[in-house]
Amino acid sequence: MARRSDAAVHHPVFARWYARFSVAAETRGGLGVVRERLLGGLAGRVIEVGAGNGMNFSHYPGAVSEVVAIEPEGRLRELAREAALRAEVPVDVVPGVAEALPVKSEAFDAAVVSLVLCSVRDVPRVLGELRRVLRPGGEVRFLEHGPGGGRAMRFTQRALDRTVWPPLVGGCHLTRDTVSALRDAGFTLGPYRRITLPEEGPRLPYSYCVLGSAVRPS
Ligand SMILES: C[S@@+](CC[C@H](N)C(=O)[O-])C[C@H]1O[C@@H](n2cnc3c(N)ncnc32)[C@H](O)[C@@H]1O
Protein backbone atom coordinates (compact mmCIF):
# COMPACT_ATOMS: atom_id res chain seq x y z
CA MET A 1 0.00 0.00 0.00
CA ALA A 2 1.29 3.51 -0.85
CA ARG A 3 2.30 5.56 2.17
CA ARG A 4 0.11 8.65 2.68
CA SER A 5 2.91 11.01 1.61
CA ASP A 6 3.44 9.02 -1.61
CA ALA A 7 -0.22 9.27 -2.60
CA ALA A 8 -1.16 11.61 -5.45
CA VAL A 9 -1.74 15.27 -4.68
CA HIS A 10 -5.10 16.09 -6.23
CA HIS A 11 -6.45 19.61 -5.71
CA PRO A 12 -8.35 20.49 -8.92
CA VAL A 13 -10.23 23.49 -7.49
CA PHE A 14 -7.08 24.93 -5.91
CA ALA A 15 -5.17 24.26 -9.15
CA ARG A 16 -7.64 26.28 -11.20
CA TRP A 17 -7.59 29.14 -8.70
CA TYR A 18 -3.77 29.13 -8.38
CA ALA A 19 -3.28 29.19 -12.15
CA ARG A 20 -5.10 32.56 -12.23
CA PHE A 21 -3.91 33.99 -8.92
CA SER A 22 -0.22 33.31 -9.63
CA VAL A 23 -0.34 35.14 -12.96
CA ALA A 24 -1.99 38.20 -11.36
CA ALA A 25 0.46 38.10 -8.44
CA GLU A 26 3.41 38.09 -10.83
CA THR A 27 2.84 41.70 -11.85
CA ARG A 28 0.24 43.23 -9.54
CA GLY A 29 1.59 41.57 -6.39
CA GLY A 30 5.25 42.13 -7.31
CA LEU A 31 6.00 38.41 -7.20
CA GLY A 32 7.90 38.45 -10.52
CA VAL A 33 10.60 40.68 -9.02
CA VAL A 34 10.82 38.43 -5.96
CA ARG A 35 11.19 35.34 -8.19
CA GLU A 36 14.11 37.08 -9.96
CA ARG A 37 15.82 37.56 -6.58
CA LEU A 38 15.03 33.99 -5.54
CA LEU A 39 16.74 32.49 -8.59
CA GLY A 40 19.44 35.08 -9.38
CA GLY A 41 22.97 33.65 -9.60
CA LEU A 42 21.94 30.00 -9.87
CA ALA A 43 24.01 27.77 -12.16
CA GLY A 44 24.25 24.11 -13.16
CA ARG A 45 21.59 21.46 -12.49
CA VAL A 46 18.60 22.59 -10.46
CA ILE A 47 15.69 20.65 -9.00
CA GLU A 48 12.51 22.65 -8.38
CA VAL A 49 10.08 20.93 -6.04
CA GLY A 50 6.35 21.63 -6.27
CA ALA A 51 6.76 23.74 -9.39
CA GLY A 52 3.04 24.46 -9.75
CA ASN A 53 2.19 25.99 -13.11
CA GLY A 54 5.83 26.88 -13.74
CA MET A 55 5.87 30.55 -12.74
CA ASN A 56 9.57 30.37 -11.86
CA PHE A 57 10.68 28.95 -15.20
CA SER A 58 11.07 32.24 -17.07
CA HIS A 59 13.21 33.64 -14.24
CA TYR A 60 16.05 31.07 -14.29
CA PRO A 61 19.35 32.62 -15.35
CA GLY A 62 21.13 31.32 -18.46
CA ALA A 63 23.90 29.67 -16.39
CA VAL A 64 21.36 27.02 -15.30
CA SER A 65 22.01 24.00 -17.53
CA GLU A 66 18.85 22.05 -16.64
CA VAL A 67 15.84 22.30 -14.35
CA VAL A 68 14.08 19.14 -13.20
CA ALA A 69 10.69 20.39 -12.03
CA ILE A 70 8.68 18.05 -9.80
CA GLU A 71 4.91 18.64 -9.66
CA PRO A 72 2.36 16.15 -8.31
CA GLU A 73 -0.88 17.94 -9.24
CA GLY A 74 -2.06 16.92 -12.72
CA ARG A 75 -3.59 20.20 -13.94
CA LEU A 76 -0.71 22.32 -12.63
CA ARG A 77 1.78 19.88 -14.16
CA GLU A 78 0.12 20.31 -17.56
CA LEU A 79 0.42 24.10 -17.27
CA ALA A 80 4.03 23.72 -16.11
CA ARG A 81 4.80 21.71 -19.25
CA GLU A 82 3.43 24.58 -21.36
CA ALA A 83 5.53 27.08 -19.38
CA ALA A 84 8.59 24.86 -19.88
CA LEU A 85 8.24 25.24 -23.66
CA ARG A 86 8.55 29.02 -23.26
CA ALA A 87 11.50 28.92 -20.84
CA GLU A 88 14.98 29.96 -21.92
CA VAL A 89 16.67 27.12 -20.04
CA PRO A 90 15.83 23.41 -20.49
CA VAL A 91 13.07 22.40 -18.06
CA ASP A 92 11.93 18.80 -17.61
CA VAL A 93 8.57 18.58 -15.78
CA VAL A 94 8.20 15.32 -13.86
CA PRO A 95 5.42 13.89 -11.64
CA GLY A 96 6.35 13.11 -8.06
CA VAL A 97 6.12 14.26 -4.47
CA ALA A 98 8.70 16.11 -2.45
CA GLU A 99 8.70 13.43 0.24
CA ALA A 100 10.09 10.85 -2.21
CA LEU A 101 11.89 12.64 -5.03
CA PRO A 102 12.22 10.43 -8.13
CA VAL A 103 15.87 11.39 -8.74
CA LYS A 104 19.36 10.14 -7.88
CA SER A 105 21.31 11.25 -4.83
CA GLU A 106 23.78 14.16 -4.98
CA ALA A 107 22.71 14.92 -8.56
CA PHE A 108 21.92 18.66 -8.24
CA ASP A 109 23.79 21.90 -7.63
CA ALA A 110 20.72 23.64 -6.26
CA ALA A 111 17.15 23.00 -5.14
CA VAL A 112 14.32 25.53 -5.27
CA VAL A 113 11.22 25.59 -3.08
CA SER A 114 8.81 28.48 -3.49
CA LEU A 115 5.49 28.56 -1.65
CA VAL A 116 5.64 24.77 -1.29
CA LEU A 117 6.79 23.80 2.22
CA CYS A 118 3.48 25.21 3.49
CA SER A 119 1.66 22.49 1.56
CA VAL A 120 3.75 19.32 1.79
CA ARG A 121 2.65 16.58 4.16
CA ASP A 122 5.96 16.04 5.96
CA VAL A 123 8.44 18.94 6.07
CA PRO A 124 11.36 17.09 7.79
CA ARG A 125 11.08 14.28 5.27
CA VAL A 126 11.06 16.75 2.36
CA LEU A 127 14.14 18.54 3.69
CA GLY A 128 15.82 15.15 4.14
CA GLU A 129 15.11 14.49 0.48
CA LEU A 130 16.59 17.86 -0.52
CA ARG A 131 19.76 16.98 1.44
CA ARG A 132 19.91 13.65 -0.33
CA VAL A 133 19.60 15.00 -3.88
CA LEU A 134 21.93 18.00 -3.47
CA ARG A 135 25.65 17.59 -3.94
CA PRO A 136 27.75 18.50 -0.87
CA GLY A 137 27.88 22.30 -0.80
CA GLY A 138 24.71 22.49 -2.92
CA GLU A 139 22.25 25.24 -2.18
CA VAL A 140 18.54 25.44 -1.35
CA ARG A 141 16.85 28.65 -2.49
CA PHE A 142 13.58 29.29 -0.69
CA LEU A 143 10.63 31.65 -0.79
CA GLU A 144 8.05 30.58 1.76
CA HIS A 145 5.32 32.23 3.79
CA GLY A 146 4.89 31.63 7.49
CA PRO A 147 3.92 33.09 10.84
CA GLY A 148 4.09 36.88 11.17
CA GLY A 149 2.44 40.13 12.10
CA GLY A 150 1.16 41.05 15.53
CA ARG A 151 -0.65 38.89 18.10
CA ALA A 152 -4.01 39.18 16.37
CA MET A 153 -2.58 38.08 13.01
CA ARG A 154 -0.71 35.14 14.55
CA PHE A 155 -3.85 34.07 16.40
CA THR A 156 -5.79 34.27 13.13
CA GLN A 157 -3.14 32.23 11.29
CA ARG A 158 -3.24 29.49 13.97
CA ALA A 159 -7.04 29.43 13.96
CA LEU A 160 -7.19 29.20 10.16
CA ASP A 161 -4.59 26.40 10.17
CA ARG A 162 -6.73 24.36 12.53
CA THR A 163 -9.92 24.83 10.51
CA VAL A 164 -10.71 25.91 6.96
CA TRP A 165 -7.38 26.96 5.44
CA PRO A 166 -5.70 23.63 4.60
CA PRO A 167 -8.81 22.03 3.04
CA LEU A 168 -9.66 25.18 1.08
CA VAL A 169 -6.16 26.10 -0.11
CA GLY A 170 -4.65 22.88 -1.42
CA GLY A 171 -3.23 21.68 1.92
CA CYS A 172 -1.51 25.00 2.67
CA HIS A 173 -0.59 25.95 6.28
CA LEU A 174 0.04 29.47 7.54
CA THR A 175 2.26 28.85 10.56
CA ARG A 176 5.21 26.80 9.30
CA ASP A 177 8.62 28.22 10.16
CA THR A 178 10.90 27.49 7.20
CA VAL A 179 14.10 28.89 8.71
CA SER A 180 13.85 26.70 11.85
CA ALA A 181 12.93 23.66 9.76
CA LEU A 182 16.00 24.11 7.53
CA ARG A 183 18.25 24.49 10.57
CA ASP A 184 16.71 21.41 12.22
CA ALA A 185 17.33 19.46 9.01
CA GLY A 186 21.06 20.26 9.19
CA PHE A 187 21.30 22.96 6.53
CA THR A 188 23.59 25.93 7.06
CA LEU A 189 21.53 29.08 6.69
CA GLY A 190 22.84 31.57 4.17
CA PRO A 191 21.50 35.08 3.86
CA TYR A 192 17.76 35.39 4.21
CA ARG A 193 15.33 38.20 4.72
CA ARG A 194 11.76 38.71 5.79
CA ILE A 195 9.50 40.31 3.22
CA THR A 196 5.80 40.91 2.90
CA LEU A 197 3.80 40.05 -0.18
CA PRO A 198 2.35 42.11 -1.59
CA GLU A 199 4.91 44.70 -0.43
CA GLU A 200 2.29 47.43 -0.21
CA GLY A 201 -1.33 47.26 0.84
CA PRO A 202 -3.21 45.23 3.41
CA ARG A 203 -1.44 42.40 5.23
CA LEU A 204 -3.05 39.02 4.61
CA PRO A 205 -2.49 35.79 6.58
CA TYR A 206 -0.09 34.57 3.87
CA SER A 207 1.77 37.89 3.46
CA TYR A 208 4.66 37.12 5.84
CA CYS A 209 7.40 35.57 3.74
CA VAL A 210 11.04 34.62 4.00
CA LEU A 211 13.38 34.67 1.00
CA GLY A 212 16.86 33.23 1.16
CA SER A 213 19.29 30.38 0.77
CA ALA A 214 20.76 27.53 2.78
CA VAL A 215 23.64 25.17 2.06
CA ARG A 216 23.96 21.41 2.38
CA PRO A 217 27.14 20.97 4.43
CA SER A 218 29.95 19.03 2.74
C1 LIG B 1 1.18 27.47 -3.85
S1 LIG B 1 1.71 26.34 -5.05
C2 LIG B 1 3.31 27.00 -5.47
C3 LIG B 1 3.75 26.64 -6.85
C4 LIG B 1 5.10 27.18 -7.31
N1 LIG B 1 6.19 26.63 -6.54
C5 LIG B 1 5.16 28.67 -7.30
O1 LIG B 1 6.11 29.25 -6.77
O2 LIG B 1 4.25 29.30 -7.88
C6 LIG B 1 2.10 24.89 -4.09
C7 LIG B 1 2.56 23.74 -4.95
O3 LIG B 1 3.03 22.68 -4.12
C8 LIG B 1 2.60 21.47 -4.71
N2 LIG B 1 2.62 20.40 -3.69
C9 LIG B 1 1.72 20.14 -2.73
N3 LIG B 1 2.09 19.05 -2.01
C10 LIG B 1 3.25 18.63 -2.55
C11 LIG B 1 4.13 17.55 -2.26
N4 LIG B 1 3.89 16.70 -1.27
N5 LIG B 1 5.23 17.41 -3.03
C12 LIG B 1 5.50 18.29 -4.03
N6 LIG B 1 4.71 19.32 -4.35
C13 LIG B 1 3.60 19.50 -3.62
C14 LIG B 1 1.22 21.79 -5.22
O4 LIG B 1 0.75 20.84 -6.16
C15 LIG B 1 1.46 23.16 -5.82
O5 LIG B 1 1.94 23.08 -7.12
Side-chain angles (χ1 to χ4, degrees), residues 14 18 35 50-52 71-73 76 97-99 114-116 119-120:
F14 168 77
Y18 192 73
R35 290 186 192 278
E71 174 50 50
E73 215 291 324
L76 290 173
V97 288
E99 289 84 352
S114 66
L115 311 174
V116 167
S119 301
V120 300

Side-chain angles (χ1 to χ4, degrees), residues 38-119:
L38 170 71
L39 306 173
L42 284 178
R45 294 195 78 217
V46 176
I47 182 163
E48 181 175 337
V49 175
N53 48 335
M55 294 303 292
N56 281 329
F57 298 170
S58 62
H59 298 287
Y60 280 102
V64 168
S65 57
E66 183 192 6
V67 178
V68 175
I70 309 293
E71 174 50 50
E73 215 291 324
R75 176 67 190 137
L76 290 173
R77 192 167 59 245
E78 248 174 59
L79 294 170
R81 289 202 165 118
E82 289 168 19
L85 298 176
R86 299 188 296 270
E88 281 170 25
V89 301
V91 181
D92 191 11
V93 179
V94 177
V97 288
E99 289 84 352
L101 292 172
V103 295
K104 288 187 184 153
S105 300
E106 302 197 351
F108 293 91
D109 300 296
V112 172
V113 280
S114 66
L115 311 174
V116 167
L117 294 179
C118 55
S119 301

